[in-house]
mmCIF file of all heavy atoms in Angstrom:
data_model
loop_
_atom_site.group_PDB
_atom_site.id
_atom_site.type_symbol
_atom_site.label_atom_id
_atom_site.label_comp_id
_atom_site.label_asym_id
_atom_site.label_seq_id
_atom_site.Cartn_x
_atom_site.Cartn_y
_atom_site.Cartn_z
ATOM 1 N N ALA A 1 0.859 -1.214 -0.012
ATOM 2 C CA ALA A 1 -0.032 0.042 0.003
ATOM 3 C C ALA A 1 0.850 1.299 -0.004
ATOM 4 O O ALA A 1 0.625 2.255 -0.817
ATOM 5 C CB ALA A 1 -0.945 0.034 1.191
ATOM 6 N N ASP A 2 1.907 1.242 0.791
ATOM 7 C CA ASP A 2 2.809 2.380 0.808
ATOM 8 C C ASP A 2 3.447 2.592 -0.520
ATOM 9 O O ASP A 2 3.526 3.802 -1.010
ATOM 10 C CB ASP A 2 3.886 2.199 1.889
ATOM 11 C CG ASP A 2 3.329 2.441 3.398
ATOM 12 O OD1 ASP A 2 2.285 2.986 3.553
ATOM 13 O OD2 ASP A 2 3.936 1.835 4.225
ATOM 14 N N ALA A 3 3.969 1.532 -1.157
ATOM 15 C CA ALA A 3 4.624 1.661 -2.432
ATOM 16 C C ALA A 3 3.664 2.145 -3.482
ATOM 17 O O ALA A 3 4.019 3.090 -4.269
ATOM 18 C CB ALA A 3 5.226 0.365 -2.835
ATOM 19 N N LEU A 4 2.448 1.639 -3.523
ATOM 20 C CA LEU A 4 1.436 2.088 -4.473
ATOM 21 C C LEU A 4 1.092 3.529 -4.323
ATOM 22 O O LEU A 4 0.930 4.343 -5.285
ATOM 23 C CB LEU A 4 0.217 1.207 -4.402
ATOM 24 C CG LEU A 4 0.322 -0.249 -4.929
ATOM 25 C CD1 LEU A 4 -0.888 -0.999 -4.561
ATOM 26 C CD2 LEU A 4 0.648 -0.260 -6.401
ATOM 27 N N SER A 5 0.954 3.910 -3.094
ATOM 28 C CA SER A 5 0.532 5.298 -2.755
ATOM 29 C C SER A 5 1.668 6.264 -3.231
ATOM 30 O O SER A 5 1.356 7.363 -3.795
ATOM 31 C CB SER A 5 0.310 5.459 -1.327
ATOM 32 O OG SER A 5 0.067 6.785 -0.906
ATOM 33 N N LYS A 6 2.932 6.056 -2.869
ATOM 34 C CA LYS A 6 3.987 6.876 -3.306
ATOM 35 C C LYS A 6 4.116 6.993 -4.772
ATOM 36 O O LYS A 6 4.420 8.072 -5.351
ATOM 37 C CB LYS A 6 5.277 6.398 -2.608
ATOM 38 C CG LYS A 6 5.322 6.662 -1.176
ATOM 39 C CD LYS A 6 6.610 6.131 -0.523
ATOM 40 C CE LYS A 6 6.601 6.257 0.986
ATOM 41 N NZ LYS A 6 7.711 5.541 1.620
ATOM 42 N N ALA A 7 4.037 5.837 -5.463
ATOM 43 C CA ALA A 7 4.283 5.788 -6.893
ATOM 44 C C ALA A 7 3.192 6.506 -7.709
ATOM 45 O O ALA A 7 3.404 7.021 -8.761
ATOM 46 C CB ALA A 7 4.423 4.370 -7.332
ATOM 47 N N THR A 8 1.942 6.470 -7.112
ATOM 48 C CA THR A 8 0.831 7.028 -7.903
ATOM 49 C C THR A 8 0.347 8.367 -7.322
ATOM 50 O O THR A 8 -0.672 8.891 -7.779
ATOM 51 C CB THR A 8 -0.296 6.087 -7.937
ATOM 52 O OG1 THR A 8 -0.741 5.735 -6.656
ATOM 53 C CG2 THR A 8 0.076 4.768 -8.718
ATOM 54 N N ASN A 9 0.957 8.863 -6.248
ATOM 55 C CA ASN A 9 0.559 10.073 -5.641
ATOM 56 C C ASN A 9 -0.827 10.025 -5.174
ATOM 57 O O ASN A 9 -1.619 10.941 -5.439
ATOM 58 C CB ASN A 9 0.812 11.266 -6.638
ATOM 59 C CG ASN A 9 0.889 12.634 -5.809
ATOM 60 O OD1 ASN A 9 1.130 12.668 -4.621
ATOM 61 N ND2 ASN A 9 0.587 13.695 -6.492
ATOM 62 N N SER A 10 -1.236 8.930 -4.525
ATOM 63 C CA SER A 10 -2.575 8.773 -4.006
ATOM 64 C C SER A 10 -2.589 8.710 -2.529
ATOM 65 O O SER A 10 -1.532 8.712 -1.921
ATOM 66 C CB SER A 10 -3.201 7.542 -4.626
ATOM 67 O OG SER A 10 -2.361 6.346 -4.346
ATOM 68 N N VAL A 11 -3.763 8.516 -1.952
ATOM 69 C CA VAL A 11 -3.911 8.473 -0.446
ATOM 70 C C VAL A 11 -4.434 7.073 -0.066
ATOM 71 O O VAL A 11 -5.334 6.559 -0.664
ATOM 72 C CB VAL A 11 -4.917 9.539 -0.007
ATOM 73 C CG1 VAL A 11 -5.155 9.467 1.494
ATOM 74 C CG2 VAL A 11 -4.458 10.941 -0.395
ATOM 75 N N ILE A 12 -3.785 6.458 0.933
ATOM 76 C CA ILE A 12 -4.242 5.189 1.451
ATOM 77 C C ILE A 12 -5.447 5.563 2.351
ATOM 78 O O ILE A 12 -5.248 6.211 3.437
ATOM 79 C CB ILE A 12 -3.107 4.462 2.269
ATOM 80 C CG1 ILE A 12 -1.878 4.274 1.409
ATOM 81 C CG2 ILE A 12 -3.675 3.221 2.827
ATOM 82 C CD1 ILE A 12 -0.685 3.824 2.152
ATOM 83 N N VAL A 13 -6.579 5.040 2.059
ATOM 84 C CA VAL A 13 -7.733 5.196 2.917
ATOM 85 C C VAL A 13 -7.759 4.225 3.979
ATOM 86 O O VAL A 13 -8.022 4.478 5.122
ATOM 87 C CB VAL A 13 -9.059 5.195 2.003
ATOM 88 C CG1 VAL A 13 -10.277 5.395 2.933
ATOM 89 C CG2 VAL A 13 -8.978 6.223 0.946
ATOM 90 N N ASP A 14 -7.500 2.942 3.606
ATOM 91 C CA ASP A 14 -7.504 1.878 4.625
ATOM 92 C C ASP A 14 -6.896 0.593 4.121
ATOM 93 O O ASP A 14 -6.870 0.399 2.863
ATOM 94 C CB ASP A 14 -8.936 1.582 4.986
ATOM 95 C CG ASP A 14 -9.140 0.773 6.333
ATOM 96 O OD1 ASP A 14 -8.150 0.797 7.038
ATOM 97 O OD2 ASP A 14 -10.220 0.237 6.546
ATOM 98 N N THR A 15 -6.318 -0.154 4.982
ATOM 99 C CA THR A 15 -5.849 -1.559 4.710
ATOM 100 C C THR A 15 -6.424 -2.487 5.683
ATOM 101 O O THR A 15 -6.248 -2.201 6.923
ATOM 102 C CB THR A 15 -4.264 -1.614 4.729
ATOM 103 O OG1 THR A 15 -3.853 -1.200 6.002
ATOM 104 C CG2 THR A 15 -3.638 -0.756 3.669
ATOM 105 N N ARG A 16 -7.136 -3.407 5.247
ATOM 106 C CA ARG A 16 -7.805 -4.426 6.100
ATOM 107 C C ARG A 16 -7.536 -5.795 5.574
ATOM 108 O O ARG A 16 -7.978 -6.102 4.475
ATOM 109 C CB ARG A 16 -9.287 -4.180 6.164
ATOM 110 C CG ARG A 16 -9.634 -2.971 6.941
ATOM 111 C CD ARG A 16 -11.120 -2.901 7.267
ATOM 112 N NE ARG A 16 -11.441 -1.598 7.827
ATOM 113 C CZ ARG A 16 -12.596 -1.291 8.298
ATOM 114 N NH1 ARG A 16 -13.533 -2.110 8.249
ATOM 115 N NH2 ARG A 16 -12.764 -0.047 8.797
ATOM 116 N N GLY A 17 -6.768 -6.575 6.375
ATOM 117 C CA GLY A 17 -6.411 -7.931 5.879
ATOM 118 C C GLY A 17 -5.535 -7.777 4.669
ATOM 119 O O GLY A 17 -4.491 -7.223 4.689
ATOM 120 N N SER A 18 -6.141 -8.284 3.611
ATOM 121 C CA SER A 18 -5.345 -8.267 2.309
ATOM 122 C C SER A 18 -5.934 -7.335 1.327
ATOM 123 O O SER A 18 -5.695 -7.405 0.071
ATOM 124 C CB SER A 18 -5.244 -9.715 1.759
ATOM 125 O OG SER A 18 -6.547 -10.115 1.395
ATOM 126 N N VAL A 19 -6.753 -6.299 1.766
ATOM 127 C CA VAL A 19 -7.383 -5.389 0.914
ATOM 128 C C VAL A 19 -6.883 -4.005 1.148
ATOM 129 O O VAL A 19 -6.807 -3.513 2.324
ATOM 130 C CB VAL A 19 -8.923 -5.425 1.056
ATOM 131 C CG1 VAL A 19 -9.540 -4.401 0.251
ATOM 132 C CG2 VAL A 19 -9.487 -6.799 0.737
ATOM 133 N N VAL A 20 -6.559 -3.308 0.115
ATOM 134 C CA VAL A 20 -6.093 -1.937 0.143
ATOM 135 C C VAL A 20 -7.089 -0.938 -0.629
ATOM 136 O O VAL A 20 -7.545 -1.308 -1.662
ATOM 137 C CB VAL A 20 -4.711 -1.788 -0.433
ATOM 138 C CG1 VAL A 20 -4.221 -0.324 -0.443
ATOM 139 C CG2 VAL A 20 -3.693 -2.659 0.224
ATOM 140 N N ILE A 21 -7.445 0.122 0.010
ATOM 141 C CA ILE A 21 -8.374 1.049 -0.648
ATOM 142 C C ILE A 21 -7.561 2.394 -0.782
ATOM 143 O O ILE A 21 -7.091 2.923 0.208
ATOM 144 C CB ILE A 21 -9.629 1.299 0.113
ATOM 145 C CG1 ILE A 21 -10.333 -0.074 0.324
ATOM 146 C CG2 ILE A 21 -10.474 2.331 -0.530
ATOM 147 C CD1 ILE A 21 -11.510 0.027 1.228
ATOM 148 N N LEU A 22 -7.469 2.759 -2.051
ATOM 149 C CA LEU A 22 -6.696 4.017 -2.351
ATOM 150 C C LEU A 22 -7.726 5.016 -3.080
ATOM 151 O O LEU A 22 -8.571 4.639 -3.728
ATOM 152 C CB LEU A 22 -5.588 3.745 -3.345
ATOM 153 C CG LEU A 22 -4.468 2.882 -2.872
ATOM 154 C CD1 LEU A 22 -3.476 2.559 -3.983
ATOM 155 C CD2 LEU A 22 -3.682 3.555 -1.767
ATOM 156 N N THR A 23 -7.424 6.249 -2.867
ATOM 157 C CA THR A 23 -8.147 7.320 -3.594
ATOM 158 C C THR A 23 -7.153 8.347 -4.031
ATOM 159 O O THR A 23 -6.053 8.480 -3.551
ATOM 160 C CB THR A 23 -9.276 7.922 -2.667
ATOM 161 O OG1 THR A 23 -10.021 8.800 -3.477
ATOM 162 C CG2 THR A 23 -8.660 8.685 -1.545
ATOM 163 N N ASP A 24 -7.567 9.100 -5.101
ATOM 164 C CA ASP A 24 -6.681 10.141 -5.597
ATOM 165 C C ASP A 24 -6.673 11.327 -4.667
ATOM 166 O O ASP A 24 -7.603 11.581 -3.849
ATOM 167 C CB ASP A 24 -7.058 10.615 -6.985
ATOM 168 C CG ASP A 24 -8.434 11.102 -7.144
ATOM 169 O OD1 ASP A 24 -9.209 10.853 -6.219
ATOM 170 O OD2 ASP A 24 -8.643 11.846 -8.151
ATOM 171 N N LYS A 25 -5.640 12.139 -4.661
ATOM 172 C CA LYS A 25 -5.504 13.283 -3.694
ATOM 173 C C LYS A 25 -6.629 14.239 -3.931
ATOM 174 O O LYS A 25 -7.091 14.837 -2.976
ATOM 175 C CB LYS A 25 -4.138 13.939 -3.935
ATOM 176 C CG LYS A 25 -3.023 13.177 -3.226
ATOM 177 C CD LYS A 25 -1.848 14.068 -3.037
ATOM 178 C CE LYS A 25 -0.713 13.340 -2.439
ATOM 179 N NZ LYS A 25 -0.864 13.172 -1.023
ATOM 180 N N ARG A 26 -7.066 14.504 -5.115
ATOM 181 C CA ARG A 26 -8.131 15.480 -5.384
ATOM 182 C C ARG A 26 -9.415 15.126 -4.710
ATOM 183 O O ARG A 26 -10.097 15.975 -4.039
ATOM 184 C CB ARG A 26 -8.337 15.585 -6.920
ATOM 185 C CG ARG A 26 -9.357 16.612 -7.266
ATOM 186 C CD ARG A 26 -9.482 16.727 -8.755
ATOM 187 N NE ARG A 26 -9.829 15.398 -9.263
ATOM 188 C CZ ARG A 26 -10.255 15.129 -10.486
ATOM 189 N NH1 ARG A 26 -10.337 16.131 -11.377
ATOM 190 N NH2 ARG A 26 -10.489 13.962 -10.887
ATOM 191 N N THR A 27 -9.831 13.860 -4.793
ATOM 192 C CA THR A 27 -11.026 13.393 -4.143
ATOM 193 C C THR A 27 -10.873 13.523 -2.528
ATOM 194 O O THR A 27 -11.744 13.991 -1.814
ATOM 195 C CB THR A 27 -11.295 11.902 -4.514
ATOM 196 O OG1 THR A 27 -11.438 11.814 -5.879
ATOM 197 C CG2 THR A 27 -12.634 11.482 -3.804
ATOM 198 N N TRP A 28 -9.676 13.098 -2.042
ATOM 199 C CA TRP A 28 -9.455 13.149 -0.614
ATOM 200 C C TRP A 28 -9.487 14.641 -0.054
ATOM 201 O O TRP A 28 -10.104 14.869 0.923
ATOM 202 C CB TRP A 28 -8.142 12.535 -0.268
ATOM 203 C CG TRP A 28 -7.745 12.518 1.117
ATOM 204 C CD1 TRP A 28 -6.837 13.483 1.764
ATOM 205 C CD2 TRP A 28 -8.327 11.703 2.172
ATOM 206 N NE1 TRP A 28 -6.805 13.163 3.071
ATOM 207 C CE2 TRP A 28 -7.631 12.114 3.432
ATOM 208 C CE3 TRP A 28 -9.177 10.596 2.166
ATOM 209 C CZ2 TRP A 28 -7.955 11.481 4.616
ATOM 210 C CZ3 TRP A 28 -9.519 10.090 3.374
ATOM 211 C CH2 TRP A 28 -8.904 10.473 4.577
ATOM 212 N N ASP A 29 -8.870 15.475 -0.858
ATOM 213 C CA ASP A 29 -8.797 16.869 -0.433
ATOM 214 C C ASP A 29 -10.214 17.494 -0.492
ATOM 215 O O ASP A 29 -10.599 18.301 0.424
ATOM 216 C CB ASP A 29 -7.880 17.701 -1.253
ATOM 217 C CG ASP A 29 -6.421 17.371 -0.998
ATOM 218 O OD1 ASP A 29 -6.092 16.783 0.051
ATOM 219 O OD2 ASP A 29 -5.580 17.654 -1.895
#
C-alpha cells in the first residue's frame, strides 16, 4: 500500500487484511 501510494501520488484510505483502498488526492482533499 505504501509503495502504490507513493508511486501514484494517491492516499491510502484503509488496509484491512489483504485489501487496500486508495483514492486520488483530489477526491481526498
Side-chain angles (χ1 to χ4, degrees):
D2 289 338
L4 289 171
S5 174
K6 288 177 186 173
T8 59
N9 198 24
S10 58
V11 177
I12 302 170
V13 178
D14 198 15
T15 56
R16 292 190 186 188
S18 61
V19 177
V20 178
I21 299 171
L22 295 174
T23 188
D24 61 339
K25 283 199 181 279
R26 183 178 55 167
T27 302
W28 179 257
D29 290 341

